[in-house]
Amino acid sequence: MCRCGFTSAILGIIGLILALTTSLIFDLILQNYVLLGPNSMSVDLWSNTPKITTSVYIFDVTNEDEVMKGKKPKLVERGPYVYDEYHHKVNTKWNLDNGTVTYQNVREYHFNAKASNGTPEDNLTIVNAPAATISYLSYYLLSLLVRVGCLLLLVIYHETAFVTKPVHEIIFDGYKDPLLTALRKLKDILGDLIPFPDEMDKFAIFYKRNMSASYDGAVSYTHLTLPTNREV
C-alpha cells in the first residue's frame, strides 16, 4: 500500500507539473522550431534551402526545312536536363514592428550530369524566340506602318524562324541575336525612347537568373509572431 501510495503521489506531482508547464513547453517549441524569426532555429534552413531539382525538357525541331515549305514540324523531346537548385535569402530585413521580413532570393543552379539525359553541349533546333515575338507583335498588336518596319528589320538582319544552339545557351547562358544587338545599339543612342530592357542583350529561358539577386525582385513575407512581447 505504501509503495502504491508513493507511486500515486509521484504521478500526481508529475501530472501537476505537466499541467502547469504544458503551455510553457508548447510555447517554447512553437517559438524555437515553428515560427520564423531572426533568432528561430528554422531561420538557417529558411535562409539557405536544401537542394531541389529543376528538370528542363526541350523540343528539338528535326525538319526545319520542311516546316519552311509549309509542312508540320516534327518534334523530338530532349532531356531532361537536370539542375540542382539552391535558394539563398540575401539582404534580409526583419521588420519586427509589423511581423514581416523583406529579402531578395538568389537562385543557384548546377548541372547534374548523372540525373540528366544529355549534356549542356547538345545542339538543338528551336524556334527563334526574338524573331517570333517580333513577328507576333507586329502582326496582331501593331499598326500597319510599324508592322512593315518590323518586317523590314527581320529581313535586314537575316532573322530566321529557327536557330540551332547548344543547350547551355538555350537555358542559361543566352545566345546573341542580331535583332537584339541592333535594338541594344539603338537604345544606347535614343535612351528611354526605346522600351528595351537592359538585361535583354541575349536570349535564354533563364537568362541571368543563375546567382542573380534581382531576378525575383524584393519579396515581403509575413512571418508569425507569438502573442507576447518576446522577440522570436
Side-chain angles (χ1 to χ4, degrees), residues 52-221:
I52 59 178
T53 58
T54 296
S55 298
V56 180
Y57 295 83
I58 301 174
F59 287 101
D60 184 23
V61 181
T62 61
N63 65 331
E64 59 174 308
D65 292 335
E66 294 179 356
V67 173
M68 297 307 298
K69 296 177 182 178
K71 294 187 177 181
K72 293 182 178 180
K74 295 179 181 179
L75 305 177
V76 177
E77 184 182 84
R78 308 294 187 187
Y81 299 95
V82 181
Y83 292 82
D84 296 334
E85 180 179 348
Y86 303 86
H87 290 199
H88 309 287
K89 310 298 190 301
V90 299
N91 301 323
T92 303
K93 180 182 179 183
W94 298 94
N95 309 303
L96 299 179
D97 55 334
N98 61 7
T100 63
V101 56
T102 304
Y103 62 91
Q104 289 178 296
N105 187 45
V106 175
R107 299 170 184 260
E108 179 181 358
Y109 297 90
H110 298 279
F111 183 71
N112 189 326
K114 291 183 178 180
S116 299
N117 182 23
T119 74
E121 303 302 326
D122 292 345
N123 285 306
L124 305 182
T125 300
I126 60 172
V127 172
N128 186 3
T133 301
I134 293 296
S135 297
Y136 177 86
L137 291 175
S138 64
Y139 188 81
Y140 290 102
L141 301 178
L142 303 179
S143 65
L144 178 60
L145 181 61
V146 178
R147 184 188 311 169
V148 172
C150 290
L151 293 177
L152 284 175
L153 283 175
L154 295 177
V155 173
I156 291 173
Y157 290 103
H158 306 288
E159 288 284 1
T160 58
F162 301 97
V163 291
T164 300
K165 301 293 181 180
V167 167
H168 67 87
E169 290 188 6
I170 296 174
I171 299 178
F172 281 110
D173 295 345
Y175 62 85
K176 290 185 177 181
D177 180 87
L179 188 57
L180 294 181
T181 301
L183 290 174
R184 163 60 53 196
K185 292 180 179 179
L186 194 60
K187 181 178 176 61
D188 291 340
I189 298 173
L190 300 179
D192 293 336
L193 294 176
I194 302 298
F196 187 73
D198 293 334
E199 64 273 10
M200 284 299 295
D201 56 325
K202 293 181 181 180
F203 174 80
I205 300 173
F206 298 138
Y207 185 51
K208 291 189 176 181
R209 184 171 188 169
N210 196 7
M211 298 304 296
S212 170
S214 61
Y215 190 93
D216 287 340
V219 180
S220 183
Y221 171 75

